[in-house]
Amino acid sequence: GPEACPVKRERRKSQERVRIRAAAVLSRQRDGLLDWRKSRDYVDQRLTTFRLLGATAGLIATGFSVAANEYVVQGTDPLSTEVNFIKGCCSITSVICLMLIYRTYLLQERLERIIRHISQLTPLDPDISIFEPFRSRAFLIELAILGVHLPPGVTFELGVWNWNNFILYRGETLCTVVATFRVYLVWRILRDQILLRLPKRHTVSAYTRISFGSALTFKMILNSRGAMPFIAAIWYGMLFIFSYWYRSAEMTACQFNTAHHEKCGLEEARYWSMGDSSATFEKTNDLYMQNALWFIYVTTCTVGFGDVNATTTMGRIVACLTAIVGT
């Protein structure tokens, strides 16, 4: 009808403007006039992509570390072919993760320079030194967390005295406990996906002086319909991680058939006593994850039936942290 003609003409004009802009962008790219290093939206898009890839690689590396440790706990030789293969996969994914995280810090610095250029009219220098990320304390902390792993052909034992008892930890177990801290990468993925839904967030942030980061994302989640599922997911995730820490702290590698430490033959390595108590008991490893989950769950609820007790210093520290979280 005649009323639809103006709408069609306006739609054709809009499509023509889009084609003209696209052609202009392509022309500028061909002429070398458009530098992606100066484009805020393009740098922000690449930053989000590299964060997602880095987090994925880090979580996969954690899975390989857990798998290698479980093989060792079940009695497999730490230097066997299958364990070395898993360690090799862990090393590869860990290196990939570190490279991607390094790239994200370079892109983050570039994005901050662009934002300062737009909001404060400061000169924009697109050239960034390759050593720039090492000036960041956060990057160095991430290097320590994401880089800890045992490469193929490497293993060690760490013996410590627990009151009057001797306990032996394997290197695979210790490195896996450190690797579990990589779960913070899950939050990075969730934060980016939520912030991407906000229109013109950089413009709003520049005018309001509000940082669109983790704090704002956390507030948005708590004020949404997904607040309860989010809190429940955090709680159950912490239960599982604390359970893994508790299980690792309570295990002594002296009971593994691959232990070679000279002190594993001592009476103090087999028969334990708690503190100054003269009563002794034979130390046995509880490898069942469900028992550790039960202990952590009961401790979180501050019930404490007493059917499972922490017998090591590290196990009691984990129990204390769990009780604090539960309260």
Side-chain angles (χ1 to χ4, degrees):
E3 297 180 356
C5 292
V7 176
K8 292 182 179 179
R9 286 197 295 269
E10 184 63 28
R11 185 180 301 170
R12 285 195 295 269
K13 290 181 181 179
S14 178
Q15 293 175 351
E16 184 65 23
R17 287 195 294 268
V18 172
R19 285 195 293 268
I20 293 174
R21 291 174 182 174
V25 171
L26 291 175
S27 177
R28 292 172 64 187
Q29 286 179 337
R30 287 193 297 267
D31 297 339
L33 300 177
L34 182 62
D35 190 351
W36 69 268
R37 299 176 301 173
K38 300 179 181 180
S39 174
R40 182 189 64 187
D41 294 337
Y42 188 75
V43 171
D44 188 29
Q45 181 182 2
R46 295 191 66 176
L47 177 60
T48 303
T49 302
F50 275 92
R51 278 176 176 168
L52 176 60
L53 295 176
T56 303
L59 295 175
I60 293 175
T62 302
F64 282 126
S65 181
V66 171
N69 181 55
E70 290 306 308
Y71 266 91
V72 175
V73 168
Q74 298 300 328
T76 306
D77 188 355
L79 300 178
S80 63
T81 303
E82 54 267 38
V83 174
N84 279 331
F85 174 77
I86 299 176
K87 288 181 179 179
C89 295
C90 179
S91 297
I92 293 173
T93 49
S94 296
V95 171
I96 293 175
C97 174
L98 290 174
M99 294 173 63
L100 292 170
I101 295 298
Y102 169 78
R103 183 62 175 170
T104 60
Y105 274 86
L106 288 176
L107 291 171
Q108 181 65 38
E109 175 64 24
R110 193 180 305 279
L111 180 62
E112 291 176 358
R113 291 187 181 185
I114 295 175
I115 293 176
R116 286 196 298 268
H117 171 70
I118 296 175
S119 60
Q120 304 176 14
L121 300 180
T122 58
L124 177 59
D125 183 10
D127 297 323
I128 300 179
S129 171
I130 60 175
F131 300 104
E132 186 67 29
F134 293 95
R135 300 177 182 176
S136 171
R137 182 180 301 176
F139 176 70
L140 297 178
I141 294 176
E142 288 204 66
L143 281 182
I145 297 176
L146 301 176
V148 174
H149 70 283
L150 280 183
V154 178
T155 186
F156 66 91
E157 297 173 334
L158 178 63
V160 295
W161 284 97
N162 177 68
W163 296 301
N164 297 323
N165 316 310
F166 180 78
I167 185 170
L168 184 68
Y169 292 115
R170 288 222 62 92
E172 289 79 8
T173 301
L174 296 176
C175 290
T176 302
V177 169
V178 175
T180 56
F181 284 94
R182 300 177 185 178
V183 294
Y184 77 89
L185 296 171
V186 177
W187 169 253
R188 182 170 293 174
I189 298 175
L190 178 62
R191 180 195 62 191
D192 288 346
Q193 294 304 314
I194 292 177
L195 293 180
L196 283 175
R197 303 175 185 175
L198 301 179
K200 299 181 179 180
R201 63 185 184 281
H202 293 298
T203 303
V204 176
S205 176
Y207 278 101
T208 60
R209 303 295 182 180
I210 297 177
S211 176
F212 281 33
S214 296
L216 178 63
T217 305
F218 192 74
K219 292 179 181 178
M220 292 175 59
I221 295 176
L222 294 183
N223 287 279
S224 67
R225 295 181 179 178
M228 290 303 298
F230 173 73
I231 295 175
I234 291 181
W235 189 62
Y236 282 109
M238 293 181 65
L239 281 181
F240 188 83
I241 293 175
F242 283 163
S243 300
Y244 195 84
W245 290 353
Y246 173 78
R247 174 175 174 262
S248 301
E250 290 292 304
M251 285 191 304
T252 173
C254 283
Q255 298 189 9
F256 300 164
N257 53 15
T258 57
H260 301 290
H261 201 281
E262 57 182 8
K263 293 184 179 180
C264 285
L266 299 176
E267 288 291 324
E268 291 83 353
R270 182 178 178 183
Y271 295 99
W272 284 21
S273 61
M274 300 300 296
D276 296 331
S277 175
S278 59
T280 61
F281 61 94
E282 186 175 0
K283 173 63 178 176
T284 58
N285 287 337
D286 188 356
L287 303 182
Y288 291 101
M289 189 66 183
Q290 58 267 33
N291 291 338
L293 281 168
W294 167 252
F295 171 79
I296 294 298
Y297 180 80
V298 171
T299 306
T300 304
C301 297
T302 65
V303 177
F305 290 112
D307 53 341
V308 181
N309 298 316
T311 59
T312 65
T313 303
M314 294 306 300
R316 291 188 174 186
I317 291 176
V318 174
C320 290
L321 292 176
T322 305
I324 293 173
V325 171
T327 56

